[in-house]
Structure formats: C-alpha cells, structure tokens
C-alpha cells in the first residue's frame, strides 16, 4: 500500500472514530500513531508520540492558553457580561432593535475577555434574552442576535481559536490577534446593519425602549471601564511588542483577579471555580493539540498533502479558487463537526496546501476561524443555536435558526469581504 | 477503596494544577514588571516552563477523570441507547490505546535520557522529574479509562469524581 493511500485511509478512519464519539484529541492522536506505526516502524512511532507529548507539555509558548483561559474564567466570575450588555443597551436601546444591537455590542465587548464563541453566547444569552423578551422583542430576533453575536468573540482578541490556530501552524499569536481586530469589528458592524434592515422592514420585531440619560450611560460605562482598560493594555501591549503572548495572558489573568478583588465580586468559591474550569478546558485543549501534532506528523510523512498540492497546482487553480474550495469543505464539515474538531482535523491537511499555493497564513487563519464560526450558527449542528435553546427553552430550534438567517446572510457577505479584501486582515499585522 | 484513590489523585491534580496556574501568572507578571523596571528575574522562563509542564500534566488528569475531553457528536446522538452503549465502549477502548501509547513513549524517553542528566541551562533544574510527572499523568489517565471500560463491560454504574465532588459541594 502506498503511503499516500494510507494517508487517505487514515482520514476516513479518523472521521469514523470521531463519529463514534472518541474524544477529538484521542482520535487524532490514535490515527497519527497507528499511521506512523505502519509508515515507519512501531518503535519510532512510540518514540515520536512520547517526544511530541512532552514537548507540548513543556512548551513555554503554550502557556498563553491557560493564562488567557484563566483571565476569561475570572472575568465570568466577576459578572462582566451583564456590564457589557448594560453599556450597549444604554446607548442603543431606544432605537428599533436597539436591545438586539446591544446584544451584539455586548458580545463584542465580552468576546474580548472570553475568547470563546460558545461561552460568549451562553453568558450573554442569560443576560440579554430575558431583557429583550421583557421589552416584547420577537423571540426570533432575541435568540438569533445572541446566537450570532456570540461568534463575534472568536475574532476579537484574545481569541481561543486564533491561539490554537497559531499553535498548530506555528504562526505568531500576536500577529494573529492583530489580524482579528478589524474583521471582528466589521463583523459586528455587519450584524448591526442586519438588525437595522430587518427591524426597518418589520418594526414590531424589536420595539424601541425608553432613552437613557447621559448620567445613566456614564454610570454603565464606568462599570466596564476597568475590564476595558485591562483588555486594551494586555492586547495593546502584545501588539506593540511590550510582552510576548504568554506574558500578555499572565498579565491579563493577574489584572482580572485584581479587578475581581477590588470589585468585591471574586469570592473564594468563584475563584476556585474559575481555576477548576481553566484546568478542565486546558486539559481538553492539550489533548487536542497533542493529537493534532501526532496526526500532522503522519499526514506529512504520508505525502498526502504534497500529492493534493501538486494536483491543485497542476490544475492551475488560482488562490481564490483554492480558498473558495477550502471554505466549501469547511461549510460541509461544519454541518457535522464542531469548530475545534474541524480545525484540528483539517489544518494538518490544508495548511501545507495553502502554503504551497502562496496564500498568507495569517489571512488564512482569519478566514478559517470566520468560516468555523459561521458553522456555529448553521444547521444542523449550529452549536451556538443549541446553547441558546438550552437557555431559552420555550423558543423552538426552528425559531432560533429562523432568527439567525439574516445574520447568516450578513456572515456570507462579510466572508466575501474578507476574501476580497485581504488588507482588512493583514493591515494591522503588517504594521507590527 | 478504588473510589478513594481516584478522588485523592484528582484532588492532588486539581491542587497542583491550580497552584501552578497561579504561580505562572504571578511569576510571569513579576518578570514583565521586572524587565520594564530594569530589575530582571533571570531564569523566570525556565521556572515557568516547568510549571507549565505541571499545568499540562495536572490538567490532563483532571480533564480525563472528569470526562471533559471534547467529542464530536456526529452519530452518537442519533442512534439507539444500545448502539450508544456499544459505541461508548469502543471509543473508550481507542482512548486507552492512544493514552497508553503516549505513556509508553514517555517512559521510553525517560529511560533513554536517564543518564544524560538533562537540566535547564540557567537554573540547572533537572528535567527528568517533570518527564516522570508527565508519564504518570498519561498513565493514570489510561488506568482511569481502563476502569471506565471495565465498568461499561460489566454494566457497573460509573461514579465520576466530578459527580461526587458536585454532590459534596
């Protein structure tokens, strides 16, 4: 059997392992290990997995992951989501669909500390959906805006997805964070336009609420000022080269703990919970990263990516065609797999291809995360939609998917913009 | 007896992991402050590196014992309970195979580098103890998964440490 054929078989075995519920990291690692065993020798495969495991476990650069996770979990404990929603609601609530806009704005603000789409949708949903329903918002708009809004958090730094992408592809996490800023902000703007247009046609969906006074707005703004300053300091310092990503994460976690203590919101039990949650997520991500590295060693040794690259180059496909082809694969995979699985599964295969095609890896990272996040609200999996349904149990899945549709249209237009205008992603990293 | 051992291991992993998280946070923050105030902390990266190894090891045990590893729910939600039970056994078996492979590979390397007395360059912190901790983490993870598989095969109820912790709190 040729090595390439083994690579293709490995890919299908891996899909089968994922389908039967094998944990993602273990499925990737197992296929990589067995593949290496057949390709080289079992002895070498055993040593390789041992080397990869310990190298990753002691990698200083990987410290960025637990540090930013700790920052996020401490911020959850201090009730930051409510504060971010309140600010946006005070400024936009009096407009038609204003509370839905506030949900998107709150998600963008909270996304800057959470770094996770699911976590942003879940925490913002608890705050924003009851508020919108209290003011007679249509369930579809209320649930749809939060489910979609949650995905804004994945591009605005610090983004968990971009960190994992940076680790798996050995790209600068600082440059990836810089690249995520403008696409994240423009995504939020696209969502706001979607709400304006939707409520313009059907004003009854999101009735305006009483206008807040400037004093109320100022009060609300003050409540988020400390966390906003922390995020600007941590991310700004990273972009300006004052700190490395790990240092930035450590300072962010330290600052979040300090803010929690000063606010009096961080109790011993909530702090313990933040630490335990950080450990759980860290362990899960370490398993995925180790698995992905073992798999990528196998894929590289099998020569599959070289073969596919050659085929693509021989077919004279342009960068745009390659990108669109990959995005279509992601849309398809996104119907069945969750984001992290997609990333870990596809990077070992697609990354060498895009490198051979001369596509900028930072730009590709942004497009990849953006597409994965679109899958988070696309049927039939749409993880964010399920999370929102778990919070608002009386709103049917059908209604939420219906509510997400205008945002999905905005997403596709936004993705087209990101593909058509690479500068949007590359302007800030090129300044570094 | 076995329950007690599992809960003890999990508590040790949780405490070591939490301590290491806080230690890295403080150490790295101090090191950044020191660098900008011209009071450098030499070797802080080396200490952070070994603490990160503790975080990785502890969090691996913790996530495994609490069944927190991410899975893709491609098929399992759409099949009968009987098929689900069968798939769970298979998935657990495959998880054990890869955990044991990593564990075996780590042990192999420990034996291989034992006589080299690996140390960090500046503070001369020996590396082997951390290799042993990482090996222990993956091996304990494998043993725990093996126990889960045995329970699944014999139809015994699985009491996860997380469940007992929640019950406690």
């Amino acid at each position: 059997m040729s090595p390439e054929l083994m690579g293709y078989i490995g890919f299908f075995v891996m899909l089968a392992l994922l389908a039967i519920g094998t944990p993602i990291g273990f499925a990737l690692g197992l296929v990589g290990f067995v593949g290496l065993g057949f390709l080289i020798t079992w002895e070498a495969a055993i040593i390789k997995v041992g080397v990869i495991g310990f190298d990753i476990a002691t990698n200083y650069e990987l410290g960025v992951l637990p540090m930013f996770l700790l920052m996020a979990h401490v911020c959850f404990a201090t009730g930051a989501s409510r504060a971010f929603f309140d600010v946006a609601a005070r400024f936009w609530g009096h407009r038609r669909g204003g509370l839905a806009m506030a949900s998107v704005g709150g998600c963008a603000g909270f996304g800057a500390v959470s770094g996770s789409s699911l976590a942003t949708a879940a925490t913002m949903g608890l705050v924003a959906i009851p508020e919108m329903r209290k003011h007679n918002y249509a369930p579809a708009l209320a649930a749809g805006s939060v489910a979609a809004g949650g995905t804004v958090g994945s591009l605005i730094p610090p983004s968990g997805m971009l960190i994992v992408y940076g680790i798996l592809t050995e790209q600068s996490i600082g440059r990836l964070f810089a690249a995520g800023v403008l696409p994240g902000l423009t995504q939020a703007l696209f969502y706001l336009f979607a709400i304006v247009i939707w409520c313009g046609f059907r004003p009854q969906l999101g009735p305006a609420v009483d206008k807040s006074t400037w004093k109320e707005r100022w009060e609300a703004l003050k409540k988020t000022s400390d966390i906003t300053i922390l995020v600007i300091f941590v991310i700004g310092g990273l972009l300006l080269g004052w700190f490395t990503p790990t240092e930035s994460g450590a300072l962010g976690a330290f600052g979040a703990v300090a803010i929690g203590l000063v606010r009096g919101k961080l109790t011993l039990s909530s702090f313990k919970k933040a630490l335990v949650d950080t450990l759980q997520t860290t362990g899960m991500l370490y398993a995925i990263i180790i698995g992905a590295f073992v798999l990528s060693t196998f894929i590289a040794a099998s020569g599959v990516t070289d073969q596919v690259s050659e085929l693509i180059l021989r077919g004279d496909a342009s960068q745009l065609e390659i990108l669109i082809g990959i995005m279509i694969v992601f849309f398809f995979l996104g119907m069945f797999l969750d984001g992290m699985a997609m990333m870990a599964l596809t990077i070992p295969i697609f990354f060498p291809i895009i490198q051979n095609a001369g596509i900028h890896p930072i730009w590709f990272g942004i497009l990849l995360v953006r597409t994965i996040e679109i899958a988070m609200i696309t049927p039939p999996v749409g993880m964010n939609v399920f999370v929102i349904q778990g919070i608002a149990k009386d709103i049917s899945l059908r209604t939420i998917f219906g509510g997400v549709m205008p945002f999905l249209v905005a997403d596709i237009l936004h993705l087209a913009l990101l593909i058509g205008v690479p500068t949007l992603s590359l302007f800030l990293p090129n300044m570094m | 007896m076995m329950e007690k051992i599992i809960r003890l291991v999990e508590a040790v992993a949780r405490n070591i992991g939490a301590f290491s998280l806080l230690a890295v946070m403080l150490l790295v923050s101090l090191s950044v402050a020191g660098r900008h105030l011209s009071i450098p902390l030499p070797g802080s990266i080396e200490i952070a590196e070994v603490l990160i190894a503790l975080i990785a090891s502890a969090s691996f045990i913790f996530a495994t014992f609490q069944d927190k590893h991410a899975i893709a729910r491609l098929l399992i939600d759409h099949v009968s309970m009987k098929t689900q039970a069968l798939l769970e056994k298979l998935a657990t078996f495959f998880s054990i195979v890869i955990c044991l492979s990593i564990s075996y590979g780590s042990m192999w390397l420990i034996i291989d580098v034992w006589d080299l007395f690996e140390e960090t360059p500046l503070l001369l912190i020996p590396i082997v103890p951390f290799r042993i901790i990482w090996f222990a983490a993956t091996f304990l993870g494998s043993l725990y998964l093996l126990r889960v598989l045995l329970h699944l095969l014999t139809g015994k109820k699985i009491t996860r440490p997380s469940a007992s912790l929640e019950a406690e709190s």
Side-chain angles (χ1 to χ4, degrees):
Chain A
M1 193 189 298
S2 73
E4 288 87 356
L5 182 60
M6 282 174 64
Y8 294 121
I9 292 173
F11 184 77
F12 287 106
V13 171
M14 187 169 46
L15 283 180
L17 286 176
L18 289 174
I20 66 166
T22 311
I24 297 165
F26 297 157
L28 303 184
L30 184 63
V31 169
F33 167 65
V34 174
L36 283 173
F38 279 117
L39 265 186
I40 35 179
T41 62
W42 289 100
E43 189 182 318
I46 284 278
I47 293 172
K48 194 71 199 168
V49 291
V51 169
I52 290 174
F54 190 68
D55 276 357
I56 288 172
T58 50
N59 188 330
Y60 177 75
E61 301 304 323
L62 267 179
V64 64
L65 211 52
M67 288 297 105
F68 273 121
L69 284 172
L70 182 59
M71 174 184 164
H73 285 297
V74 172
C75 284
F76 291 152
T78 57
S81 55
R82 167 102 242 170
F84 279 111
F85 175 74
D86 280 348
V87 171
R90 294 266 180 267
F91 279 86
W92 294 331
H94 62 286
R95 297 177 192 282
R96 269 194 306 228
L99 291 180
M101 291 187 209
S103 304
V104 172
C107 284
F110 188 65
V113 288
S114 104
S116 149
S117 160
L118 277 178
T120 306
T123 42
M124 197 53 71
L126 286 171
V127 176
I129 293 177
E131 196 70 22
M132 283 192 268
R133 301 201 69 189
K134 199 171 86 186
H135 289 95
N136 297 321
Y137 269 56
L141 176 61
S145 60
V146 181
T151 64
V152 179
S154 66
L155 280 176
I156 293 181
S159 148
M161 279 279 185
L162 286 177
I163 292 176
V164 174
Y165 175 82
I167 290 164
L168 294 178
T169 59
E170 294 173 352
Q171 295 299 308
S172 154
I173 290 168
R175 281 167 63 83
L176 280 166
F177 278 0
V181 174
L182 292 179
L185 293 178
T186 48
Q187 183 192 350
L189 279 179
F190 269 60
Y191 282 179
L192 295 184
F193 280 127
I195 295 168
V196 169
I197 293 168
W198 197 13
C199 289
F201 281 111
R202 297 178 62 190
Q204 73 279 13
L205 289 178
V209 301
D210 294 338
K211 193 172 182 177
S212 300
T213 62
W214 275 101
K215 193 182 168 208
E216 286 170 331
R217 290 176 179 178
W218 181 242
E219 285 298 321
L221 208 53
K222 267 202 299 193
K223 284 185 186 161
T224 57
S225 57
D226 44 8
I227 292 183
T228 308
I229 290 170
L230 174 70
V231 171
I232 292 172
F233 171 69
V234 164
I235 302 302
L238 174 63
L239 302 186
L240 291 171
W242 295 350
F243 341 114
T244 64
T246 305
E247 290 172 347
S248 171
L251 287 168
F254 184 79
V257 172
I259 288 171
L261 290 174
V262 170
R263 280 185 175 191
K265 289 268 177 78
L266 195 63
T267 60
L268 188 61
S269 66
S270 63
F271 187 44
K272 275 184 185 171
K273 187 177 181 312
L275 287 167
V276 163
D277 289 346
T278 304
L279 280 179
Q280 282 173 349
T281 319
T282 303
M284 181 261 285
L285 288 174
Y286 265 98
I288 291 179
I289 292 167
I290 291 170
F293 269 95
V294 175
L295 176 74
S296 85
T297 310
F298 162 59
I299 295 284
S302 74
V304 163
T305 47
D306 291 337
Q307 198 178 54
V308 178
S309 294
E310 245 181 65
L311 264 173
I312 291 171
L313 294 176
R314 213 183 298 153
D316 219 16
S318 68
Q319 285 189 353
L320 186 66
E321 286 165 341
I322 294 171
L323 273 178
I324 291 173
I326 291 177
M327 297 299 132
I328 289 170
V329 174
F330 278 124
F331 273 123
F332 177 72
L333 287 177
M335 291 180 186
F336 310 100
L337 290 173
D338 78 355
M340 201 57 84
M342 259 204 289
M343 186 176 276
L345 181 76
T346 54
I347 280 182
I349 299 156
F350 285 141
F351 193 68
I353 295 172
I354 68 118
Q355 276 187 314
N356 287 344
I359 294 169
H360 201 297
I362 300 275
W363 180 41
F364 179 71
I366 298 299
L367 296 178
L368 177 75
V369 171
R370 191 69 193 85
T371 316
I372 286 174
E373 288 303 322
I374 293 176
M376 299 290 276
I377 54 170
T378 313
V381 174
M383 302 279 280
N384 277 18
V385 173
F386 284 95
V387 163
I388 295 300
Q389 214 264 330
I391 293 166
K393 290 194 167 56
D394 59 321
I395 307 179
S396 70
L397 274 176
R398 195 187 165 87
T399 307
I400 306 176
F401 274 122
V404 151
M405 280 306 152
F407 299 100
L408 214 48
V409 174
D411 273 336
I412 290 165
L413 293 175
H414 185 243
L415 183 64
L417 176 76
L418 292 182
I419 292 176
V421 188
T423 315
L424 206 56
S425 310
L426 297 175
F427 175 70
L428 286 178
N430 286 343
M431 301 276 283
M432 287 173 77
Chain B
M1 180 64 181
M2 190 53 81
E3 273 314 311
K4 275 187 182 171
I5 294 172
I6 290 171
R7 285 171 66 176
L8 179 71
V9 171
E10 197 214 35
V12 170
R14 186 178 61 228
N15 291 331
I16 290 177
F19 165 79
S20 307
L21 276 173
L22 293 177
V24 171
M25 179 187 88
L26 287 173
L27 178 76
V28 175
S29 299
L30 278 175
S31 138
V32 175
R35 191 173 68 225
H36 289 279
L37 296 170
S38 304
I39 317 167
L41 288 180
S44 59
I45 289 184
E46 290 180 8
I47 301 174
E49 263 171 358
V50 294
L51 287 170
I52 286 168
L54 293 181
I55 293 173
S57 307
S59 65
F60 183 83
I61 293 182
F62 203 61
T64 308
F65 278 35
Q66 297 213 340
D67 194 21
K68 292 291 177 188
H69 287 294
I71 60 169
R73 312 195 75 85
L74 276 173
L75 188 68
I76 42 176
D77 285 345
H78 310 284
V79 294
S80 67
M81 294 292 274
K82 203 177 161 188
T83 317
Q84 262 186 29
L86 175 70
L87 295 181
E88 194 180 359
K89 284 172 203 157
L90 279 172
T92 311
F93 170 74
F94 291 130
S95 305
I96 295 167
V97 174
I98 184 61
C99 278
L100 273 179
S101 311
I102 297 174
S103 180
Y104 185 46
S106 308
M107 189 183 67
W108 189 308
L109 288 169
I110 291 169
I111 296 166
D112 212 34
V113 300
W114 189 265
D115 294 332
L116 299 177
F117 302 105
E118 280 182 302
E119 289 170 334
T120 60
L122 201 64
L123 301 179
L124 307 180
I125 302 168
I127 304 286
V128 165
F130 298 95
R131 285 192 181 277
I132 294 172
I133 290 170
W134 173 246
F135 157 73
T138 52
F139 188 63
L140 287 169
S142 314
L143 288 183
Y144 179 75
L145 290 170
L146 190 62
R147 181 171 176 271
V148 171
L149 181 63
L150 289 176
H151 279 213
L152 287 171
L153 289 171
T154 53
K156 267 192 196 172
K157 192 170 172 273
I158 302 165
T159 319
R160 301 216 185 263
S162 52
S164 30
L165 275 175
E166 275 159 21
E168 262 177 27
S169 62

